[in-house]
Amino acid sequence: MRIGELAGRTGVSVRALRYYEEQGLLTSERSESGQRRYAANAVDRVRLIQQLYGAGISSASILEMLPCVLTGVAAPDVLAKLHGHRSSVVQQIEELQETLLQLDSVIAGATEAYATGKPCPPR
Amino acid sequence: MRIGELAGRTGVSVRALRYYEEQGLLTSERSESGQRRYAANAVDRVRLIQQLYGAGISSASILEMLPCVLTGVAAPDVLAKLHGHRSSVVQQIEELQETLLQLDSVIAGATEAYATGKPCPPR
DNA sequence: TAGAAACCTGACATTGACGTCAGAGGTAGC
DNA sequence: GCTACCTCTGACGTCAATGTCAGGTTTCTA
């Protein structure tokens, strides 16, 4: 498929796809005229990249772990980094869960205040 | 306390604290010579700001919701935005949890491959 | 076989949350 | 009062993941 279709299927912009290639995260065949052609599994690849980006992992780190993700083989140092990223994701989740509690208490307080017309006691 | 102490207590840089003030997120008294003086509760305020930043909430949105967080009162539109941010945080958590599963499966596969010396079947 | 739509490369622009530096003034311990 | 450190404002730099634009080629559709 061509780049526009891949963009449409993944919801990622054409510019971003070219950027991924620039970073070595995504490869493509080229037609005779030089246009990019992608295999069907490129869709999954792009989604994986997006997911890792979403976890705050940099393109350099993604590049490092991609072969491992694709082949299942990892050098010990890469494996160590994978563990590092894992802990960072766990920590992010924990922090977000705490933030969620905060937001909930704010929302609850504000909703009640709005219903009763009385401001809640300041924290 | 002065800005350096606040920075030390919160782990946030002096530059960032001035930036928060610039954005209206943090206020300070000024000494006669113009130096910032913070009340003790500024520590909590800074931590709250950091937490909201960590949830990917922009300074503009934080500015909007701060009075509500502090006083417990919220106009209906602000309340709606709070709900919006809440859902976004929930979604982030879900996505990160999925990423965690992916990472775990990669780590498990790579660990086994390293132990047995055999690459896992490509996905 | 037009003409529109998609694609190419290359380069500069953007965004947000700061880092960093310069030059000047404030503060605290000895 | 010296000295070392802290603070001030203002301004430019940074970084990563794109957006956007220009100027040209390719591909699809009527």
Side-chain angles (χ1 to χ4, degrees), chain A residues 44 48 69-71, chain B residues 102 105-106 120-123:
Chain A
D44 290 338
L48 176 63
V69 175
L70 299 178
T71 67
Chain B
Q102 287 250 1
S105 101
V106 171
C120 302
R123 315 151 5 98

Side-chain angles (χ1 to χ4, degrees), chain A:
Chain A
M1 89 193 79
R2 295 197 294 164
I3 196 170
E5 187 179 344
L6 181 57
R9 286 204 195 171
T10 57
V12 169
S13 75
V14 167
R15 177 65 178 88
L17 294 177
R18 289 200 267 250
Y19 175 76
Y20 295 166
E21 183 169 323
E22 207 176 308
Q23 300 303 303
L25 303 179
L26 184 63
T27 54
S28 61
E29 303 288 304
R30 294 297 184 118
S31 75
E32 257 187 37
S33 65
Q35 295 202 348
R36 291 170 180 82
R37 293 301 145 94
Y38 296 96
N41 62 13
V43 174
D44 290 338
R45 173 79 79 101
V46 171
R47 292 204 174 124
L48 176 63
I49 294 170
Q50 282 276 302
Q51 192 168 32
L52 296 175
Y53 269 139
I57 299 175
S58 73
S59 61
S61 296
I62 296 178
L63 182 58
E64 225 174 28
M65 68 172 70
L66 258 186
C68 162
V69 175
L70 299 178
T71 67
V73 179
D77 58 328
V78 173
L79 198 51
K81 291 199 180 178
L82 281 172
H83 279 289
H85 287 304
R86 200 205 112 97
S87 339
S88 133
V89 171
V90 169
Q91 194 181 337
Q92 281 181 67
I93 290 175
E94 286 169 359
E95 285 170 6
L96 284 176
Q97 277 166 344
E98 201 178 323
T99 303
L100 194 57
L101 291 181
Q102 287 250 1
L103 273 180
D104 278 342
S105 103
V106 171
I107 288 173
T111 303
E112 188 190 349
Y114 185 66
T116 63
K118 290 179 194 169
C120 303
R123 316 156 356 104

Side-chain angles (χ1 to χ4, degrees), chain B residues 2-4 18 30 36:
Chain B
R2 295 198 292 166
I3 197 169
R18 288 201 267 253
R30 294 296 184 119
R36 292 171 179 81

Side-chain angles (χ1 to χ4, degrees), chain B residues 101-113:
Chain B
L101 291 182
Q102 287 250 1
L103 274 179
D104 278 341
S105 101
V106 171
I107 288 174
T111 303
E112 188 189 350

